[in-house]
């Protein structure tokens, strides 16, 4: 009985196989192969970021046009608050343009990605205040000439905020990608005896 080998059960064999599959020799990369893979991933990340910057910059430019139209639309309004809110949106929008498309000597290229969240917060506050005041003025009890709040006007106040939010999300994604690429570079292994 002592010379007899112990047999594994089917569950023990299955658990052993699920733990870790050995690497196939074709999947093992030497140091140069690892560097090439990381370089390709980094280049793909840079290309994707450039494409996203271009699309978001076009969105920011469209939002700038919308805020100018909003300003002129409310210029004749008896309440100057809407013009002021439009100017605030117009002044804050250039902070969302990517720095590779504008001259580096301009002061708004120096805003850090961490401070961009403040710009988003101000945009959100301005949009909500404008919509609330406009809705309040459209009520029959406000004593002013009643003009109903329309969906198009709500969209014109919200679009700049949505664009700035998209820029903020893109910048956060870029920072996360850089962290992950750094972690990937830290996971490189030395292949010896190949």
């Amino acid at each position: 009985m002592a010379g007899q080998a112990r047999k594994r059960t089917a569950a023990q064999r299955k658990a052993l196989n699920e733990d870790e599959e050995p690497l196939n020799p074709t999947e093992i990369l030497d140091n140069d192969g690892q560097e090439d893979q990381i370089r390709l991933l980094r280049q793909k990340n840079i290309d994707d970021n450039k494409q996203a910057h271009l699309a978001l910059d076009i969105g920011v430019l469209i939002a700038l046009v919308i805020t100018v139209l909003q300003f002129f639309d409310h210029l004749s309004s008896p309440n100057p608050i809407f013009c002021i809110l439009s100017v605030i949106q117009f002044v804050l929008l250039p902070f969302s343009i990517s720095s590779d498309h504008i001259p580096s000597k301009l002061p708004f290229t120096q805003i850090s990605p961490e401070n961009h969240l403040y710009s988003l917060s101000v945009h959100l506050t301005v949009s909500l205040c404008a919509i609330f005041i406009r809705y309040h003025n459209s009520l029959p009890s406000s004593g002013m000439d009643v003009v109903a709040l329309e969906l198009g006007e709500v969209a014109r106040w919200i679009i700049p905020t949505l664009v700035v939010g998209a820029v903020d999300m893109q910048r956060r994604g870029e920072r996360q990608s850089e962290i992950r690429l750094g972690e990937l570079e830290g996971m490189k292994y030395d292949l010896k005896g190949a």
Side-chain angles (χ1 to χ4, degrees):
M1 216 186 239
Q4 198 175 29
R6 193 178 90 156
K7 293 185 179 180
R8 294 183 188 264
T9 64
Q12 289 172 330
R13 283 192 302 268
K14 185 176 180 183
L16 191 78
N17 291 338
E18 286 181 355
D19 286 346
E20 195 172 308
E21 294 279 332
L23 285 176
N24 188 354
T26 59
E27 295 173 343
I28 298 174
L29 298 174
D30 63 352
N31 293 341
D32 292 336
Q34 294 175 59
E35 287 292 332
D36 290 342
Q37 287 295 325
I38 291 172
R39 186 181 45 76
L40 288 173
L41 286 173
R42 190 169 293 281
Q43 186 60 44
K44 182 181 181 320
N45 188 36
I46 289 170
D47 293 342
D48 290 346
N49 288 344
K50 283 182 181 178
Q51 186 176 5
H53 287 183
L54 182 62
L56 290 171
D57 286 346
I58 290 170
V60 170
L61 293 175
I62 291 170
L64 281 168
V65 169
I66 288 172
T67 57
V68 168
L69 294 174
Q70 194 80 329
F71 174 79
F72 286 119
D73 189 38
H74 290 290
L75 196 57
S76 62
S77 174
N79 192 350
I81 190 71
F82 297 113
C83 289
I84 294 169
L85 293 175
S86 293
V87 168
I88 292 171
Q89 280 187 329
F90 182 80
V91 168
L92 289 176
L93 275 169
F95 289 112
S96 298
I97 296 176
S98 59
S99 58
D100 40 324
H101 294 117
I102 53 177
S104 61
K105 294 180 181 178
L106 295 176
F108 52 82
T109 60
Q110 304 303 323
I111 190 169
S112 67
E114 293 82 22
N115 291 337
H116 194 263
L117 186 59
Y118 297 127
S119 176
L120 175 61
S121 301
V122 172
H123 269 283
L124 186 60
T125 304
V126 165
S127 297
L128 293 178
C129 285
I131 291 170
F132 176 76
I133 293 169
R134 182 63 184 83
Y135 174 74
H136 181 69
N137 287 344
S138 69
L139 296 176
S141 63
S142 67
M144 302 177 102
D145 292 336
V146 178
V147 177
L149 179 65
E150 296 176 358
L151 182 62
E153 188 175 358
V154 172
R156 285 192 306 267
W157 284 110
I158 293 293
I159 285 174
T161 304
L162 294 176
V163 169
V164 171
V167 169
D168 191 58
M169 286 175 44
Q170 171 64 26
R171 290 182 181 178
R172 287 174 189 269
E174 288 174 14
R175 288 194 301 268
Q176 289 296 326
S177 294
E178 283 300 319
I179 290 170
R180 288 188 187 121
L181 281 170
E183 289 173 354
L184 183 63
E185 286 176 340
M187 292 173 52
K188 290 190 302 188
Y189 52 85
D190 288 328
L191 186 64
K192 296 182 181 171

